[in-house]
Amino acid sequence: MNVTLKELAITLGTLALTACTTTPNSSTQTQSPQLTAATNTIDTSVRVDGSSTVYPITQAVAKEFQSTQEGSQAQISVDFSGTSGGFKKFCAGEIDVAGASRPILTAEMEACNKNSIRYIELPIAFDALTIAVHPQNDWAQDITVAELKRMWEPAAEGKITRWNQVRAAWPDRPLKLYGAGKQSGTFDYFTEAVVGETRASRNDYIASEDDNVLVEGISKDPNALGYFGFSYLEENQNKLKALAVDNGKGAVIPSRETVEANEYQPLSRPLFIYVNAQYAQKKPAVRDFVNFYNKQAPTLVSSVGYVPLPEEAYDLNERHFYTGKVGTVFEGEAELNITISELLRRQAKF
């Protein structure tokens, strides 16, 4: 679909004149104080925050945008404070775009609604949430979901502290754990997928919303195990070793091929950006950046180590962004085992 900026501006402008009903999937639209404060000045800032998993994609897009879009006045800032931290800022109207490694949750939908923030949900990639160890770890090649639960459930705190407590064949060596901080969508997804309850986890581990901190810790400790997005494994293959994950159907290594074949479960998951619909309407820089993001995503997603979606998904994104389709195709929960084809089906019906 080829859309001119003029056509986009006309269509998005229509949104301001359209009344909407307040529902869990949408927010009542009002003009933001931040946008009315400077009526004679065009705001050229594009503020992005949120998931550290999505961060490498957004950073690559921003770098490409700034190097190729001659004449653009956009001033793009990209940061990460975790998915939950990003949604907190997004639903307060402090940022234009939020990166998310899980769908928006009910409490966040309510916060956006309370502050009259309407959002456009755009899936951009799939991730293989990766279990990583030090390359010198020569005893573990795979791990079951049940063993991961034994390691990470709240009851393990202070008790499961050695490798042989997880699998008898493993050595009697200390177990040092690294994982996502509690502001991270990866923390939410991992705890639900592995422990069976969102945010249920032992607390005696090295936690960070910065995946590079986790990579650095694991790469220096032969007794370590941790989890993070697949991109960070791809960037640090000489420092890390991925474990195959067995959910009862055989051990499967994380890769683009196993994600596309729906084999790497339950740790495959979609990644998103959420766009403030009001700012997309009012700020040409945001519109330009999001359009560029969607067009470049297939190439740049692959370049940073994630799994791009089929072309149809990005066509649907373009249509939804062009028409200002606000809301979410999810029910306010981080669903497990969703496949690429199921994601496409929902987006097509949205």
Side-chain angles (χ1 to χ4, degrees):
M1 172 189 269
N2 295 320
V3 179
T4 67
L5 289 180
K6 181 177 180 181
E7 289 171 333
L8 181 61
I10 291 172
T11 302
L12 288 173
T14 304
L15 290 174
L17 304 177
T18 304
C20 70
T21 301
T22 302
T23 69
N25 286 352
S26 62
S27 309
T28 305
Q29 183 174 341
T30 60
Q31 192 169 1
S32 167
Q34 294 186 27
L35 297 177
T36 58
T39 56
N40 297 322
T41 304
I42 296 176
D43 187 350
T44 60
S45 66
V46 181
R47 302 156 300 177
V48 189
D49 203 330
S51 168
S52 61
T53 305
V54 178
Y55 174 78
I57 305 173
T58 307
Q59 185 183 45
V61 172
K63 183 178 179 179
E64 185 73 9
F65 182 92
Q66 292 173 326
S67 66
T68 61
Q69 301 302 293
E70 294 182 9
S72 173
Q73 300 299 310
Q75 299 175 318
I76 304 168
S77 63
V78 183
D79 205 348
F80 58 87
S81 55
T83 297
S84 297
F87 273 130
K88 184 176 181 180
K89 295 177 183 179
F90 182 81
C91 292
E94 297 173 5
I95 58 175
D96 306 291
V97 179
S101 60
R102 56 159 172 77
I104 189 169
L105 301 179
T106 300
E108 294 157 346
M109 292 157 66
E110 292 172 350
C112 278
N113 197 46
K114 180 179 179 181
N115 293 322
S116 301
I117 302 296
R118 302 178 74 191
Y119 47 85
I120 302 171
E121 177 182 79
L122 303 176
I124 55 166
F126 250 70
D127 177 32
L129 208 166
T130 300
I131 310 301
V133 296
H134 192 280
Q136 291 179 13
N137 179 326
D138 59 2
W139 59 89
Q141 309 303 324
D142 57 70
I143 192 165
T144 68
V145 174
E147 288 168 339
L148 284 170
K149 180 179 181 180
R150 192 176 306 142
M151 281 184 179
W152 287 97
E153 64 185 343
E157 185 167 337
K159 297 178 181 178
I160 305 300
T161 59
R162 305 192 73 79
W163 279 91
N164 64 342
Q165 291 177 285
V166 180
R167 185 183 294 186
W170 288 343
D172 182 12
R173 298 180 63 149
L175 174 65
K176 188 71 171 289
L177 295 174
Y178 293 79
K182 294 183 179 180
Q183 293 298 307
S184 171
T186 298
F187 176 78
D188 295 337
Y189 190 92
F190 181 82
T191 50
E192 170 123 10
V194 168
V195 179
E197 181 181 348
T198 304
R199 306 189 71 77
S201 174
R202 67 190 299 167
N203 296 307
D204 54 341
Y205 70 98
I206 306 300
S208 179
E209 278 75 25
D210 185 347
D211 291 338
N212 287 308
V213 171
L214 307 180
V215 168
E216 191 67 14
I218 297 168
S219 70
K220 292 180 177 180
D221 188 348
N223 295 311
L225 177 144
Y227 64 90
F228 39 70
F230 187 65
S231 173
Y232 291 88
L233 173 73
E234 289 285 277
E235 290 181 358
N236 298 279
Q237 293 188 47
N238 61 327
K239 298 180 180 180
L240 303 169
K241 182 179 84 171
L243 298 186
V245 175
D246 188 347
N247 68 352
K249 299 179 180 180
V252 178
I253 201 75
S255 70
R256 174 170 177 168
E257 292 74 23
T258 57
V259 170
E260 291 177 335
N262 303 323
E263 295 172 350
Y264 189 69
Q265 299 290 3
L267 298 181
S268 292
R269 56 179 179 160
L271 304 177
F272 306 87
I273 58 171
Y274 286 77
V275 184
N276 183 308
Q278 297 159 273
Y279 295 164
Q281 173 194 332
K282 297 289 186 179
K283 298 171 65 173
V286 173
R287 292 198 299 271
D288 291 349
F289 178 69
V290 173
N291 277 321
F292 184 86
Y293 199 128
N294 190 59
K295 284 181 170 58
Q296 298 298 316
T299 300
L300 295 179
V301 162
S302 294
S303 74
V304 299
Y306 291 123
V307 181
L309 300 174
E311 183 178 350
E312 178 188 351
Y314 299 110
D315 289 342
L316 288 168
N317 281 351
E318 185 176 15
R319 186 186 312 165
H320 290 165
F321 186 60
Y322 173 68
T323 59
K325 189 76 172 180
V326 297
T328 175
V329 301
F330 297 89
E331 300 294 330
E333 299 178 354
E335 298 184 32
L336 303 179
N337 298 318
I338 187 168
T339 65
I340 293 175
S341 59
E342 170 62 13
L343 178 65
L344 275 174
R345 187 189 67 80
R346 294 190 190 188
Q347 290 291 320
K349 289 179 63 179
F350 185 44

